[in-house]
Amino acid sequence: MKKAIFLSAMTIAVANATAIADNTVVLQADKPGARVQPTMYGIFFEDINYAADGGLYAEMVKNRSFEFPYALTGWTPFGTVEVKDEGGPFERNPHYVRLMPSGHNDKHSGLENQGFFGVTFKKDSVYKFSIYMRAPQGAGKVRVELCNPASMDNSMVYASHTFDVDSPDWIKYTAELKPTKGCDKGVLRLFLVHPDKPIDVEHVSMFPANTWKGREGGLRRDLAQALADLKPGIFRFPGGCIVEGTEVPDRYQWKNTVGPVENRPTNLNRWLYTFPNRLASDYYQSGGLGFYEYFQLSEDIGAEPLPVLNVGLVCQYQNWHQDQTIPLDSLQPYIDDALDLIEFANGSTDTKWGKLRADMGHPAPFNLKFMAIGNEQWGPEYVARLEPFLKVLKEKHPEIKIIGSSGPDSEGDKFDYLWPEMRRLKADLVDEHFYRPGEWFLSQGTRYDKYPRKGTKVFAGEYACHIKGKKYNHFYPALLEGAFMTGLERNADVVEMATYAPLFAHVEGWQWRPDMIWFDNSRSMKTASYYVQQMYSLNRGDRVLPLTMDKKPVAGLEGQNGLFASAVSEGNDIIVKVANTGETAQPFTIDFKGIKAKAPLTGLSVTRLTAPDDAENTLDNPDTVKPMTTKESINVTANWSTTLPARSMTVFRFTR
Ligand code: AHR
C-alpha cells in the first residue's frame, strides 16, 4: 500500500516536471563541428586599478626614479634633500636626490617612501633592496630601514642595513632586508648616518625575494599564479585606453618599456583622472612591467602574446584632443613601431631589436602571432589609419594575424560602420567590447549564430556583466557571463578569442569595477567571474558538438526556461556546459546520439558554481563562491538525466 502511494506520488511529480519543463537536449556526439581555437579563453591585462605598479609588478617603492611630475611624490623628505637632474646615471630618468649634510651628528637628512598604499612587509620574509649611489665629495654612510610608524615597540625599525658609499661614480648597492616583525602600512626610510658629506641616490627599489618564478625585479607571485591557474590561451596587453593616451605623448610606447628598467621613462596613467569620482593623485607607469615582461609572462603561462599598438589616434572619448590625431603622412613611426615589435619578439639575435631581446635574457624568439592595431577607435579616421598598417604588415609579415577594432560599443552606428570596413580591409579578427547589463547578456545567447561564417573572425576582447546599481563582483553577473559564453563556444568557428575585463583591482586604488581578481598588498581574491572563466578555460575542448533543444540552440530562448548550454569534445571526453539562470531547480536530460554501445560513457565529473545572487568573495572571505567538483561512475549510451540547481553554472565532463 505504502509503495503504491509512493509510486503514484512520484508519477505525479514527474508528470508535473514534464509539464513544466522537460529540458531534454540532443547532443550529437559523432558529429564534431568547428575547431575550438587554443586561444579561445584568455586574459586581458591593462594597468588600471593599480594593476601594474602597486599590483602585478612587485616593486614596493613608489616613484623609485623621482620622475613623477613632482619629483618627490610618494616620498617624505626630512632634513635637507635636493632634487637634481644633471649628472645622473640614467639619461631618460634624469632626476636624482642629493642627501645633504645636516651640519650636526644628531640631525639627519633622508627620505621615507610610502610605497603603494603602504610598504607592506612580512616577518622573516626577505626583501631585495637596491639603490644607485655616489659620494660626490667624499665617503659617507647611508642607512636603509623598514619601519612601522605605528609601532608601540621600543624601536619602530624592523629591518635595516648600512651602506658605505665612497665612490664618486654611480654604483648599484644591494642588500637583503629580513624584518623581525611584519607591518601592513610601513615605510621605507633612507638617511645619511654621519652627515658631513652629501650622498646622491637614484632608482631606489625593493622587491620581495619571493617573486613569481623567483625572477629578479619580477612579478607578485600570488597574482601571477592566479593567471597561470586560468591556463589562458591568449594574453592581451597593455590595454585598453592606456594604449591611446589622452594626448599624443602619453600614449603607450612599447620602446620605452624595454631595456634596463632604470632607464625606462615614467609615463602618465590616464586612469589617474578618467573618472572624477575616482581620482588618484599619484598614478604613473614606471614601465617596469614592460613588453619584455609581458612576453615573458605569456610564455610562462602558456598563452599566445597579443600586444595592442597605437594606430595614430588618441582616445576619441576625450575628443577635445581630436586635433592631436596623427596626420596620415606622419604615420610611419607608428607603423615602424609595429614592425620593430615583430623584430623584438621574433627577430634573430643579429637584428637590432632581436638583439635587445637577447640582451635582456631571451635569445629564443617569443613566437608572436597576433597583434592588435588600435583599441576602441572608431570612424573613418580609424579606418584610414588602420589601412596603411594592414598593407605593410600583411606584405612583410603575413604570418601575423592583425586585429582591428569595432569601437567601444557592442552594437550601434560605430559598430555597424566598422564591421564591414574591417571585412573590406581583411582584418583577421575584430575586437568587440561589451560592458553590458544583465538583460543584454540574457538576450545575446545567439549573438554569434547570426555572424557570417567566413572571413574576419571575432575577438571578444573586453566584456563583463555590469548589473545595474550593483557593480561589484557578486555571483549573479558571473552566472550571466557563463550563460553568454555558451554562445561563444557554440560559435567557435566565428569566435576565436575572448577575454574578460578588467583583470585586476587593488582594493585601495581602483577606478573601475567589476574586475576579475582583487587584491591588497598581501592578499588576493578570485571572484565568481574568475571561476566562470576558469571553468571554461580548463574545459575548452577541441571541437564543438551540436547540442540542441527542439532543434534550436540552447540560448535562453523562449520555452527554454532560462537555460544556456553548449558542448565540445576533447579527445574521447564530452564536455557539456550548462547555465541555469532560472530561480528554480530544473530537470535536464541529455539525449546522446552517436555513442556506440561498446564505448559507453563511464565516468562523469561535475564542476558546479552556485550561490545566492548577491554572494561575493572578499579578501577576508575569499572562498564564499567557489566551484565544487564531484566525480561518479556511469554507464551511458543514450539518455542521461540530472537536476540543475537554481542559478547554477555547471560543467559536465563525460569520460569513457
Ligand atoms: O577595461 C577598461 C577600459 O574599458 C579599457 O581600457 C577600454 O578599452 C574600455 O573602454
Side-chain angles (χ1 to χ4, degrees), residues 445-499:
T446 56
R447 176 181 179 89
Y448 296 110
D449 298 37
K450 300 156 201 154
Y451 273 49
R453 315 320 283 183
K454 295 225 153 59
T456 303
K457 304 295 182 193
V458 171
F459 170 31
E462 292 185 29
Y463 67 93
C465 178
H466 287 204
I467 296 286
K468 277 191 199 122
K470 253 191 192 167
K471 286 190 150 199
Y472 57 84
N473 291 93
H474 49 300
F475 169 71
Y476 184 56
L479 173 65
L480 300 193
E481 287 152 10
F484 171 78
M485 288 171 76
T486 57
L488 305 182
E489 179 169 282
R490 187 174 55 256
N491 290 285
D493 55 333
V494 169
V495 184
E496 296 196 341
M497 308 171 178
T499 54

Side-chain angles (χ1 to χ4, degrees), residues 471-530:
K471 286 190 150 199
Y472 57 84
N473 291 93
H474 49 300
F475 169 71
Y476 184 56
L479 173 65
L480 300 193
E481 287 152 10
F484 171 78
M485 288 171 76
T486 57
L488 305 182
E489 179 169 282
R490 187 174 55 256
N491 290 285
D493 55 333
V494 169
V495 184
E496 296 196 341
M497 308 171 178
T499 54
Y500 177 98
L503 185 56
F504 284 123
H506 195 298
V507 290
E508 294 177 60
W510 60 272
Q511 295 83 41
W512 178 299
R513 62 179 178 179
D515 306 287
M516 200 156 82
I517 299 166
W518 287 81
F519 60 92
D520 62 14
N521 282 1
S522 55
R523 301 173 297 170
S524 51
M525 172 276 280
K526 298 163 175 168
T527 62
S529 292
Y530 174 98

Side-chain angles (χ1 to χ4, degrees), residues 137-318:
Q137 293 163 25
K141 283 183 195 294
V142 169
R143 190 172 171 83
V144 57
E145 296 177 343
L146 278 176
C147 305
N148 175 1
S151 167
M152 292 301 284
D153 294 332
N154 193 36
S155 169
M156 63 163 72
V157 181
Y158 292 163
S160 67
H161 183 89
T162 304
F163 297 98
D164 289 312
V165 188
D166 53 13
S167 169
D169 299 323
W170 287 101
I171 291 178
K172 182 177 180 179
Y173 295 80
T174 62
E176 291 196 345
L177 301 175
K178 194 172 175 188
T180 51
K181 285 192 174 180
C183 176
D184 283 342
K185 298 281 180 195
V187 296
L188 178 79
R189 184 185 292 154
L190 195 69
F191 60 99
L192 282 179
V193 180
H194 293 299
D196 55 354
K197 302 267 178 8
I199 298 289
D200 293 341
V201 301
E202 162 67 307
H203 197 86
V204 186
S205 172
M206 188 169 72
F207 283 79
N210 183 26
T211 53
W212 164 252
K213 294 195 178 279
R215 296 220 168 86
E216 283 288 318
L219 308 183
R220 222 176 102 168
R221 183 179 285 255
D222 59 332
L223 299 183
Q225 187 61 52
L227 302 184
D229 291 345
L230 283 169
K231 295 208 178 353
I234 191 91
F235 178 36
R236 177 180 184 243
F237 57 86
C241 292
I242 66 165
V243 169
E244 303 157 33
T246 303
E247 300 181 82
V248 175
D250 4 292
R251 72 192 189 283
Y252 195 96
Q253 299 181 63
W254 74 265
K255 287 174 180 165
N256 287 344
T257 73
V258 291
V261 290
E262 294 86 345
N263 215 10
R264 299 184 192 175
T266 301
N267 195 16
L268 173 71
N269 190 318
R270 59 155 292 151
W271 296 110
L272 178 145
Y273 52 73
T274 299
F275 298 123
N277 53 327
R278 302 291 310 178
L279 289 180
S281 60
D282 56 0
Y283 199 1
Y284 294 83
Q285 303 168 70
S286 72
L289 178 55
F291 264 40
Y292 178 86
E293 290 76 18
Y294 286 129
F295 280 119
Q296 178 75 77
L297 179 59
S298 306
E299 187 174 274
D300 287 347
I301 61 181
E304 297 291 349
L306 165 49
V308 187
L309 296 192
N310 188 294
V311 71
L313 289 171
V314 293
C315 174
Q316 288 165 286
Y317 273 123
Q318 295 169 328

